[in-house]
Amino acid sequence: MAETWLNETMYADWGQRFRTSRELARVRSEFQDIAIFDTTTHGRVMTLDGVVQITEGDEFVYQEMLTHVPLLAHGAAANVLIIGAGDGGVLRRVLMHKGVQRAVMVEIDGEVIRLSKEYLPKIGGDAWNDPRAEVIVGDGIDYVKTAPDGAFDVIIVDSTDPIGVGEVLFTDEFYKNAARILSAQGIIVNQCGVPFMQADELRETSARRAQFFSHVSAYVAAVPTYVGGYMTLGWAGKHPASTALSVEDIAKRAENARILGTTSYWSPHIHVASFWLPPYIARHLPR
Ligand code: SAM
């Protein structure tokens, strides 16, 4: 049998490849090329327009950090808005938090949700049927423009990069409305790329957020298949205290939320340490 490889097309001059054993799905949706493969090293892998979005092997790193950090930093998040995240992994982890009463997920591409349920069932798990979940197929920018003031405690943006359909989620208009629909202690986080290769993404979006939020920062996670070293998760909040919590504070909150002991990457120490940025990353944040 001929060897088959999945070669990621994220960067023109550099990249990763996966030996694949089977192509499970390939769909051209209204918005993007969706493909799902069985690989010999990372389990099932989904790409959008040739770019790795998620692998069963390492999704826990990114999804735990994108979810548990803002929710535990807030400390009393009841209403959570998720934008993108069509694989369902962020939704599942948000609903693990005992205090969450409502989780609204707005994903632009219904085909990503359909194929994720069919070929990546473990990632979303039962979250799709949880009565606290509200899943909307629509554009995140339209949702934030029409949602009521102060409706959410935390917004998690798990989108594609700022090209194509994802571009609108990195604009002034998006952040202005995000600030409007967040409550007084509100926090927004988003995937902000791998600064070794995508420093502009972190610098530009942080500068944009600083126009609408008093407290702008970033934290890091080492995601094996987001190649290029640390992945940054952009942070903007209305209250500086949410990033000044001790390891003990975070551990207490995680225990109360029934998260402690359920994770493979996130821990109270990793949480606090992830905001201590190497200079090559910190220099891209607003002074
Ligand atoms: N973790 C991945 C990453 O960092 O590259 C992202 C995974 S998730 C599958 C990205 C999702 O964002 C995709 O399903 C895509 O359809 C969705 N998306 C892109 N632009 C969007 C928009 N404007 N509104 C809502 N969802 C959007």
Side-chain angles (χ1 to χ4, degrees):
M1 190 176 82
E3 282 192 339
T4 53
W5 291 88
L6 159 61
N7 293 295
E8 186 182 35
T9 56
M10 177 91 180
Y11 307 112
D13 306 332
W14 181 59
Q16 62 181 332
R17 65 177 190 161
F18 302 78
R19 185 195 296 272
T20 62
S21 52
R22 204 157 43 124
E23 178 178 296
L24 297 158
R26 183 176 289 276
V27 170
R28 170 76 221 170
S29 79
E30 196 187 334
F31 304 100
Q32 51 212 342
D33 273 327
I34 310 166
I36 301 180
F37 302 84
D38 262 333
T39 70
T40 55
T41 50
H42 292 72
R44 293 190 170 178
V45 172
M46 177 166 68
T47 62
L48 295 178
D49 294 337
V51 177
V52 171
Q53 300 296 307
I54 193 162
T55 84
E56 288 179 321
D58 67 358
E59 59 89 28
F60 66 93
V61 178
Y62 170 82
Q63 309 250 13
E64 287 178 9
M65 292 301 280
L66 194 61
T67 306
H68 299 326
V69 172
L71 266 73
L72 293 169
H74 184 286
N79 294 290
V80 179
L81 174 61
I82 303 163
I83 305 226
D87 50 72
V90 169
L91 181 65
R92 178 165 67 81
R93 286 177 174 90
V94 166
L95 293 168
M96 286 168 66
H97 288 253
K98 188 164 68 58
V100 169
Q101 291 158 18
R102 180 172 171 246
V104 178
M105 185 182 121
V106 183
E107 161 59 60
I108 199 166
D109 194 337
E111 284 297 279
V112 172
I113 296 176
R114 178 179 71 79
L115 292 166
S116 297
K117 285 180 177 176
E118 185 171 351
Y119 295 106
L120 300 165
K122 284 181 283 185
I123 295 191
D126 292 338
W128 304 108
N129 312 314
D130 189 305
R132 296 169 296 165
E134 199 184 322
V135 177
I136 298 167
V137 175
D139 194 330
I141 190 93
D142 297 334
Y143 187 87
V144 296
K145 279 198 280 188
T146 53
D149 294 6
F152 294 99
D153 302 306
V154 170
I155 300 176
I156 299 175
V157 185
D158 174 24
S159 74
T160 41
D161 287 314
I163 39 175
V165 280
E167 201 167 351
V168 285
L169 306 176
F170 295 80
T171 59
D172 289 358
E173 190 177 23
F174 180 79
Y175 290 121
K176 186 177 72 193
N177 280 288
R180 180 183 60 76
I181 68 173
L182 277 168
S183 52
Q185 313 285 330
I187 295 168
I188 178 169
V189 295
N190 75 323
Q191 76 89 352
C192 234
V194 172
F196 185 78
M197 297 298 288
Q198 305 166 295
D200 299 351
E201 194 171 320
L202 175 63
R203 190 175 50 254
E204 284 158 21
T205 49
S206 300
R208 286 184 190 287
R209 281 192 289 259
Q211 301 168 97
F212 307 105
F213 290 91
S214 59
H215 191 57
V216 170
S217 182
Y219 59 110
V220 291
V223 185
T225 55
Y226 294 161
V227 292
Y230 276 135
M231 172 79 174
T232 43
L233 303 161
W235 173 281
K238 295 187 175 184
H239 207 293
S242 51
T243 54
L245 296 155
S246 69
V247 168
E248 293 68 30
D249 296 334
I250 295 289
K252 193 84 210 104
R253 289 182 179 191
E255 193 170 15
N256 295 343
R258 299 213 198 109
I259 296 299
L260 216 50
T262 68
T263 57
S264 299
Y265 184 91
W266 179 92
S267 74
H269 288 87
I270 290 287
H271 179 131
V272 171
S274 70
F275 285 89
W276 289 95
L277 303 174
Y280 87 92
I281 297 178
R283 67 171 61 106
H284 296 294
L285 293 177
R287 294 265 173 277

